[in-house]
Amino acid sequence: MSPWREGIARLRRYPSAVAGLAIIAALIATAVYTVIAIPYPQAQELWRGGERWQELPVNAGPVWADRLLGGDAPRTLTASSAAAETVEEAAYDGVRLNRTVLAVDYPYTEFPSEVTLFLEADFEQRRPFVRMRWRTPDGEVIPLGARRVGEQGRVSISQDRGLESRLGRAPQVGLFAEPGPAGTEERPEARPGRYELILETVHFERTSQLAAELVVYGQVHGLLGTDHERRDLAVALLWGTPVALAFGLLAAVGTTVTTLVIAAAGVWYGGWVDALIQRLTEINMILPLLPILVMVGTLYSTSIWLMLGVVVVLGIFSAGIKMYRAMLLPLREAGYIEAARAYGASNPRIILRYMVPRILPVLLPTFVTLIPTYVFLEASLAVLGLGDPVLPTWGKVLHDAQAQSALYHGHYYWVLEPAALLMLTGLGFAMLGFALDRVFNPRLRSV
Amino acid sequence: MAAAPLLEIDDLRLAYATERGTVRAVDGVGLTLRRNEAVVILGESGCGKSSLAKALLRTLPRNAYAPEGRVRLDGAEVLGLPEERFRRQVRWVRIALVMQAAMNALNPVVRVGEQVAEPLRIHRGCSRRQAAARAAEAFAEVGIPGDFLQRYPHELSGGMRQRAVLAMALVTEPDIVVLDEPTSALDVLTQAAIMNVLKRIKRDRGVSFVLITHDVATSSEIADRVALMYAGQVVEEASAEAFFTAPAHPYSQMLMASVPRLHQPEPPQPIPGRPPSLLEPPAGCRFAERCPQRFDRCSEPPPALPLGERHRVRCWLHATGGGRP
Amino acid sequence: MSPRPAQAAAPGEPLLAARDLQTHFELRRWGFLRTGSVRAVDGVDLTLDAGEAAAVVGESGCGKSSLARTLLGLHRPTGGEARFEGQPLARLRGAALKAYRARVGYVQQDPYGALPPFMDVRRALEEPLIVHGVAPRAERERRIEAALEEVGLAPAGEVWGKYPHQLSGGQQQRVVIARALILRPRMILADEPVSMLDASVRVEILELLRRIQREHRLALLYITHDLSTVRHYTDRVLVMYGGRIVEQAPVEALLERPQHPYAEALLAALADPDPANARRERPVPGGEPPSLAAPPPGCRFHPRCPYAMAGTCDVYDPPALGVGEGHTAACWLRA
């Protein structure tokens, strides 16, 4: 059995390794699923934000977290004219009066975060005119005003200052509140029941049409919630997985492999080659990585691939070289390498085929634990505002949360979700790495 | 000679826990050592000879199970002695150890003179000055010039280092010195010189030696008695006279025939096959698989059969009636 | 496997001939200041014919391993000359050096260390073939199988996929020997090939080397510290001391009638197993082997020699003097 396979067989006896592998497998599965389900261009498009998110609430927490804490925060409810019945009440002289009732069954005792009516009119010259009235389950009717509708219209009912002063409180509260004198309750409660938005539309053309959609925004949304731009955090958190794994893995592979080969070459050739590598390492070791990255990001580009390149280049002549050198030095005198020289193996062959593979097993644990450090580095850069401009990543979610003072506003989910994913990544690789260390590092192996 | 034995080992068993299972490194070893006697424990690598020495000195690695059996020193059981009492009453006071790799036995940053004096200060409670004086004597005894006391281990040649380790073992005047392959890493001339020192010490001091070696020629340099080990057992225990001139166990005979000699026209004969795994040793005689003289009974484990004065052989060929009951 | 036909070497010329061969290592301080040199090999004359097995015997630090490495082309000689099949070693470069390496097989002391721990037997044996461009794969596998069979590891399928730690010491050394043979060399250099093996396995390995050497008419240079392992396995013995060959003789002559005091001392320090050994001390010359960085003037053994003649041995270097058929000793006593 090869030493590798033997090691892996031994690995199975460490529960932490199994757990770590399970976490990593779950992350990889998520990454693969994400890349297939939301292709890269689509992800970019989604993260750019805009209208596609208009029916999602702002800064809504995840549903499950609210339910878990015993809350009953409302979800978003919609009612569309497509599903509602439109009654043509009168038609004369080319002018029609249509009546549409958009009804929502509101089951919550907490209030919605916003109420918005989206209107879309189809006409040739004369814009339709719409009058809006609100009917509560008790039958009270509150007029919401009237307006002409352009091709696209948006009525922010909850932002209506006039309505607010008439109701004596924010419209989304006033419209859903239990009947009673305004402002007397300590904590007003919403009255569950059927609410109706009555639209009376006056069309001035025979073919003119109006589509309407009432959105009663909830306070919670989906599995992961939304951010300040109504974007579903799931997009960023899902896409953050392949980005984080790819960045961590590529950076770890890039630095480890090149560092190892350079260290081996230094040890093998010795003399000035070794001296040069040592001095370069010593200089590089005192160069601060983060400020250099900040500089590159600020002055040049914050593309994630450029950052990766800089991280790898600066990681080559790192402290690792000293460690690998110490491990490789005894190999210079190893019998099998002397034998390889004696049968004529070339210097590159000795370095790549005889020296490097010898210490790979010992390196594997370090390599595995190195991956999350690069994941964290990428996240740190994003938090500092040096994240890739187009890619959604965990770090950027954190950055947005921080920029919007998420914690101050009590949006804990916004910070905790990416943090938990980062921690999970770190935990998975660390658990696997430490178990690998016990398996492959002979000095730690206790019998 | 009917003197009571100084050291008596009876049915000693020792096992290690390894990843592949339990290795029974020492499996029922019996041995006696009298005062001023040198017994050589001879055997190939993996036969359990070093484990035996480690069990005697209690320097076993952590994966070893507690040894079973009896070890008596002057009639007193020492195997069950609590660690602290063993350290104070036995180790280095009664039994001292000379290890194989002399460089590892010495602390590289302490002058050798101080290291040799160290056991005296620990075990005999000597003052610094007394200890230094005794260390100088010990150096003279093993043939190291006195000015070497002030040197560091790396300034000494391999032979000198081995002598220093020997001095360290002798300085507390133990009854028994256990030597684990003391010369196997040394050159021919150095080896001979160290064996000369051992012979002299044995003659002048009346010390008993337990010498552990794989080298038949070296073993004959000092042995009064030889215990030949094979796969965790002593297969033959005999006087040197009997062992080197008329070995009784087939393995002893074949081992003697496999030794390359300087002055012998016939070429040595290798022993075909390999020793059995100590993970699952064979149920019967452990040498049977390689033995040209095996017969039916060899599938049963042979006991150590007496074959004259202090001569025991673990082979059915020497049972009365040719081994057939 | 069939040995290559001898080429280049003129008839009657030895396969390997060294004259006054020197390998000195410079001692430097701070990487550039020369502070002296270690004369590991310091004027060695030796010849080795095709099909001849010779032993180089000496203690550690006598320069025997440096001699082996110089002959393997791992160290460049710093003086004198060594010719293999008529070609001077010191001038081999590039392809010629690589070709030379295929013609010399190397067997090391520690068989476990000599095999890459991460390669199975097949891979370890395939390496020299790949390095020397033996193709296709089927041809390589055929040669690996043949080599394994040659060293007694048949059927090859049993060891083929094993890793060094799964083999016994004897098996490991057989694999190392197979690797040394796989490029069909003309000469095998074996540096202490049995000193790390168990007594019963030593004889097997020595027999194997001897059989292969005879069957393929290979030259064998067997480097050892143990004089008791030269009889039966070599034809000639060269005794090395302080970087030089002090005595050369047919094996029987050396063991029975050593002429140099150092060879005599070596023999006297050794014994065949005998209970009488325990009752007598062995004569051992005092002192330690000379430092190769500062060897004594004159004969290098004179400070330890019981017969040293003041005014001669401590001043003049003794040349190799003929003392019998194929027997020379570098000692003024034989002048």
Side-chain angles (χ1 to χ4, degrees):
Chain A
M1 203 168 21
S2 88
W4 287 105
R5 247 185 288 163
E6 219 167 282
I8 285 164
R10 219 182 289 129
L11 201 60
R12 268 192 235 139
R13 300 210 311 250
Y14 290 93
S16 76
V18 177
L21 272 173
I23 293 174
I24 294 167
L27 287 171
I28 291 173
T30 310
V32 171
Y33 164 78
T34 306
V35 173
I36 293 169
I38 317 172
Y40 180 67
Q42 198 190 326
Q44 273 190 22
E45 176 74 28
L46 282 170
W47 198 243
R48 212 172 291 140
E51 268 178 27
R52 68 175 62 248
W53 301 112
Q54 67 185 5
E55 288 181 19
L56 260 46
V58 171
N59 288 339
V63 177
W64 59 269
D66 177 69
R67 300 294 182 266
L68 214 60
L69 295 171
D72 186 31
R75 295 178 195 240
T76 302
L77 299 171
T78 58
S80 167
S81 61
E85 205 183 333
T86 302
V87 186
E88 195 164 296
E89 291 197 333
Y92 48 87
D93 200 18
V95 176
R96 292 174 290 136
L97 177 65
N98 282 3
R99 181 187 159 91
T100 310
V101 176
L102 299 175
V104 281
D105 287 311
Y106 193 79
Y108 310 102
T109 53
E110 282 183 57
F111 295 101
S113 58
E114 282 176 85
V115 181
T116 302
L117 176 67
F118 294 95
L119 296 167
E120 200 178 329
D122 189 8
F123 57 91
E124 272 166 27
Q125 259 140 34
R126 297 193 63 187
R127 291 183 289 172
F129 181 84
V130 66
R131 193 156 70 109
M132 302 162 285
R133 281 180 299 161
W134 184 257
R135 187 156 68 199
T136 64
D138 302 312
E140 190 189 349
V141 174
I142 304 164
L144 298 180
R147 65 185 322 186
R148 282 190 186 277
V149 184
E151 267 167 36
Q152 288 216 317
R154 172 192 174 122
V155 186
S156 295
I157 298 167
S158 48
Q159 306 271 310
D160 190 335
R161 297 283 152 232
L163 182 60
E164 187 172 343
S165 59
R166 264 189 289 140
L167 292 170
R169 43 184 148 183
Q172 71 269 30
V173 176
L175 292 179
F176 288 85
E178 284 276 9
T184 51
E185 317 95 319
E186 288 276 300
R187 260 182 64 99
E189 271 198 6
R191 185 197 195 295
R194 192 180 175 88
Y195 290 85
E196 285 172 355
L197 180 67
I198 303 156
L199 297 177
E200 284 162 333
T201 319
V202 181
H203 290 285
F204 300 101
E205 288 168 5
R206 192 161 296 282
T207 54
S208 152
Q209 296 284 333
L210 181 76
E213 188 174 26
L214 171 69
V215 181
V216 178
Y217 292 97
Q219 291 181 11
V220 290
H221 174 76
L223 199 59
L224 299 167
T226 62
D227 67 0
H228 61 298
E229 293 183 36
R230 302 180 189 273
R231 294 177 296 195
D232 191 337
L233 283 179
V235 174
L237 295 174
L238 280 176
W239 252 93
T241 316
V243 172
L245 291 183
F247 189 92
L249 197 68
L250 288 175
V253 168
T255 52
T256 309
V257 170
T258 43
T259 303
L260 183 54
V261 169
I262 287 174
V267 166
W268 181 245
Y269 291 110
W272 67 267
V273 178
D274 193 31
L276 179 72
I277 291 170
Q278 294 303 305
R279 295 303 87 74
L280 274 175
T281 306
E282 282 147 19
I283 293 167
N284 190 56
M285 273 163 73
I286 57 161
L287 292 183
L289 177 65
L290 207 56
I292 290 179
L293 288 173
V294 170
M295 259 164 57
V296 172
T298 315
L299 301 176
Y300 193 62
S301 150
T302 51
S303 155
I304 197 166
W305 306 115
L306 178 77
M307 288 293 168
L308 180 65
V310 175
V311 165
V312 169
V313 167
L314 290 176
I316 288 173
F317 290 96
S318 64
I321 275 200
K322 299 264 176 197
M323 186 179 87
Y324 302 155
R325 188 170 180 273
M327 289 158 85
L328 288 161
L329 263 179
L331 289 188
R332 204 159 66 165
E333 314 297 327
Y336 75 90
I337 287 179
E338 191 186 41
R341 276 187 74 198
Y343 58 63
S346 63
N347 288 330
R349 192 175 188 89
I350 286 175
I351 292 168
L352 295 175
R353 293 294 188 105
Y354 295 85
M355 296 180 79
V356 170
R358 180 72 183 93
I359 66 164
L360 274 187
V362 191
L363 236 58
L364 186 68
T366 329
F367 170 76
V368 168
T369 38
L370 200 59
I371 294 173
T373 64
Y374 285 118
V375 173
F376 295 161
L377 180 66
E378 188 271 328
S380 315
L381 286 173
V383 168
L384 289 176
L386 298 168
D388 189 278
V390 290
L391 266 179
T393 65
W394 299 339
K396 281 178 77 179
V397 173
L398 279 171
H399 176 249
D400 290 345
Q402 197 245 351
Q404 302 295 321
S405 311
L407 292 178
Y408 175 75
H409 292 296
H411 305 313
Y412 296 105
Y413 70 95
W414 204 354
V415 174
L416 290 181
E417 281 167 9
L421 283 168
L422 283 166
M423 265 160 45
L424 202 63
T425 309
L427 189 70
F429 283 100
M431 287 204 294
L432 178 66
F434 294 147
L436 281 171
D437 212 16
R438 287 185 159 268
V439 169
F440 285 110
N441 196 338
R443 276 168 303 175
L444 286 180
R445 199 182 297 162
S446 58
V447 194
Chain B
M1 281 236 290
L6 174 64
L7 179 73
E8 207 178 348
I9 301 172
D10 191 18
D11 196 30
L12 188 71
R13 289 167 197 279
L14 179 69
Y16 296 101
T18 69
E19 298 203 344
R20 284 179 296 160
T22 306
V23 172
R24 301 185 187 288
V26 178
D27 204 3
V29 162
L31 198 65
T32 56
L33 176 69
R34 290 181 185 166
R35 211 167 277 281
N36 199 19
E37 202 173 49
V39 62
V40 170
I41 299 173
L42 185 63
E44 297 185 68
S45 61
C47 72
K49 58 187 191 301
S50 286
S51 298
L52 181 63
K54 287 181 185 141
L56 277 183
L57 268 295
R58 292 204 188 169
T59 53
L60 289 163
R62 284 169 57 182
N63 62 328
Y65 294 107
E68 290 167 42
R70 282 163 299 281
V71 176
R72 288 192 207 91
L73 192 59
D74 268 338
E77 176 65 46
V78 294
L79 200 61
L81 226 51
E83 179 57 35
E84 186 53 27
R85 280 185 64 198
F86 183 86
R87 191 183 70 79
R88 262 186 294 131
Q89 296 176 1
V90 181
R91 190 185 295 147
W92 236 266
V93 183
R94 307 286 313 268
I95 309 179
L97 173 69
V98 175
M99 283 205 288
Q100 184 167 7
M103 195 63 202
N104 298 343
L106 293 170
N107 182 338
V109 295
V110 178
R111 295 175 201 277
V112 284
E114 281 172 45
Q115 295 193 53
V116 170
E118 181 89 356
L120 280 172
R121 296 175 37 84
I122 295 174
H123 295 287
R124 296 273 187 239
C126 289
S127 71
R128 186 176 286 271
R129 185 174 301 172
Q130 275 177 316
R134 293 272 292 281
E137 279 171 39
F139 262 42
E141 199 170 2
V142 297
I144 314 181
D147 56 323
F148 278 44
L149 282 162
Q150 298 304 315
R151 297 200 186 181
Y152 289 96
H154 71 269
E155 298 174 303
L156 268 56
S157 67
M160 284 300 165
R161 257 183 247 141
Q162 193 62 61
R163 284 172 202 245
V165 175
L166 186 58
M168 205 155 104
L170 288 168
V171 77
T172 52
E173 295 176 1
D175 298 309
I176 302 169
V177 178
V178 178
L179 306 133
D180 189 358
E181 302 272 10
T183 60
S184 61
L186 302 173
D187 279 316
V188 174
L189 295 182
T190 322
Q191 248 180 51
I194 297 234
M195 292 316 285
N196 284 347
V197 171
L198 291 178
K199 287 175 200 178
R200 230 173 288 149
I201 288 165
K202 178 165 173 274
R203 190 188 60 214
D204 301 345
R205 283 262 210 117
V207 185
S208 302
F209 285 114
V210 177
L211 175 80
I212 289 157
T213 183
H214 68 280
D215 188 54
V216 180
T218 304
S219 70
S220 77
E221 290 287 329
I222 189 149
D224 294 312
R225 305 182 47 72
V226 178
L228 177 65
M229 282 188 76
Y230 184 80
Q233 297 179 327
V234 171
V235 293
E236 181 163 1
E237 186 195 352
S239 67
E241 206 66 45
F243 185 82
F244 291 113
T245 51
H249 196 283
Y251 175 60
S252 315
Q253 292 160 359
M254 291 174 81
L255 185 69
M256 294 301 284
S258 78
V259 176
R261 287 160 199 253
L262 289 166
H263 308 287
Q264 178 181 295
E266 309 88 60
Q269 296 302 316
I271 309 174
R274 280 213 268 161
S277 154
L278 291 178
L279 279 169
E280 283 162 52
C285 169
R286 300 196 170 174
F287 188 63
E289 200 192 332
R290 303 167 78 182
C291 183
Q293 301 179 60
R294 77 171 160 267
F295 60 106
D296 306 342
R297 195 149 183 201
C298 298
S299 58
E300 294 167 44
L305 298 161
L307 196 78
E309 167 80 13
R310 295 183 79 197
H311 189 171
R312 293 193 292 175
V313 185
R314 210 179 263 275
C315 176
W316 287 118
L317 287 172
H318 298 281
T320 37
R324 279 155 245 263
Chain C
M1 27 192 311
S2 54
R4 292 180 194 204
Q7 46 171 264
E13 195 182 324
L15 183 73
L16 175 75
R19 280 200 51 213
D20 192 30
L21 188 68
Q22 295 170 7
T23 307
H24 296 180
F25 299 103
E26 289 191 356
L27 294 174
R28 287 163 191 271
R29 189 180 294 166
W30 302 325
F32 57 92
L33 278 181
R34 266 200 63 179
T35 56
S37 58
V38 172
R39 299 150 168 249
V41 179
D42 199 21
V44 163
D45 293 332
L46 75 89
T47 61
L48 193 61
D49 290 326
E52 188 189 24
V56 175
V57 179
E59 292 179 276
S60 60
C62 74
K64 59 187 193 299
S65 288
S66 298
L67 175 64
R69 281 171 203 180
T70 306
L71 295 177
L72 281 164
L74 298 179
H75 297 323
R76 288 222 175 268
T78 49
E81 189 185 56
R83 286 172 178 271
F84 183 81
E85 292 176 337
Q87 280 179 300
L89 281 192
R91 260 179 265 144
L92 291 178
R93 293 279 189 284
L97 181 61
K98 194 166 164 183
Y100 169 70
R101 289 188 157 151
R103 302 177 66 63
V104 183
Y106 184 29
V107 178
Q108 288 146 298
Q109 176 172 18
D110 170 14
Y112 183 65
L115 295 169
F118 47 86
M119 289 187 188
D120 61 14
V121 168
R122 190 192 63 79
R123 190 82 186 82
L125 293 182
E126 198 179 7
E127 273 292 310
L129 296 173
I130 294 173
V131 165
H132 287 272
V134 177
R137 193 186 162 94
E139 162 69 6
R140 294 200 293 264
E141 297 202 336
R142 200 185 57 71
R143 279 173 70 167
I144 293 167
E145 230 167 293
L148 284 173
E149 202 165 309
E150 181 97 12
V151 297
L153 289 175
E158 268 180 32
V159 286
W160 196 256
K162 288 198 174 169
Y163 284 80
H165 70 273
Q166 295 168 312
L167 302 172
S168 70
Q171 287 175 318
Q172 286 164 2
Q173 197 58 296
R174 283 169 195 269
V175 174
V176 172
I177 293 171
R179 184 175 64 187
L181 290 174
I182 205 150
L183 294 169
R184 297 172 181 161
R186 298 286 301 140
M187 175 166 84
I188 299 274
L189 269 162
D191 189 357
E192 300 269 16
V194 297
S195 69
M196 299 201 37
L197 302 176
D198 272 321
S200 63
V201 185
R202 278 182 194 182
V203 174
E204 282 177 19
I205 296 294
L206 289 170
E207 272 184 3
L208 173 69
L209 280 171
R210 181 61 157 170
R211 180 175 56 78
I212 289 168
Q213 177 259 327
R214 282 198 166 134
E215 276 176 16
H216 298 312
R217 260 183 60 75
L218 299 176
L220 172 70
L221 201 64
Y222 166 52
I223 289 156
T224 180
H225 71 284
D226 187 359
L227 261 177
S228 64
T229 58
V230 299
R231 193 186 282 243
H232 311 297
Y233 309 114
T234 57
D235 307 309
R236 206 147 54 87
V237 180
L238 299 92
V239 180
M240 208 168 163
Y241 186 81
R244 299 193 172 169
I245 305 285
V246 294
E247 182 163 357
Q248 276 201 55
V251 63
E252 302 272 318
L254 187 103
L255 292 176
E256 304 306 333
R257 298 177 301 282
Q259 296 298 309
H260 192 283
Y262 175 64
E264 200 182 298
L266 266 186
L267 275 164
L270 284 167
D272 290 335
D274 183 346
N277 289 344
R279 292 190 287 274
R280 53 175 181 246
E281 284 190 24
R282 307 212 153 267
V284 179
E288 304 247 337
S291 151
L292 295 174
C299 170
R300 305 229 156 140
F301 189 60
H302 86 261
R304 305 173 75 186
C305 182
Y307 317 109
M309 298 173 285
T312 308
C313 297
D314 53 354
V315 181
Y316 305 106
D317 226 349
L321 301 163
V323 289
E325 178 73 40
H327 194 161
T328 62
C331 178
W332 290 118
L333 290 173
R334 310 300 159 204

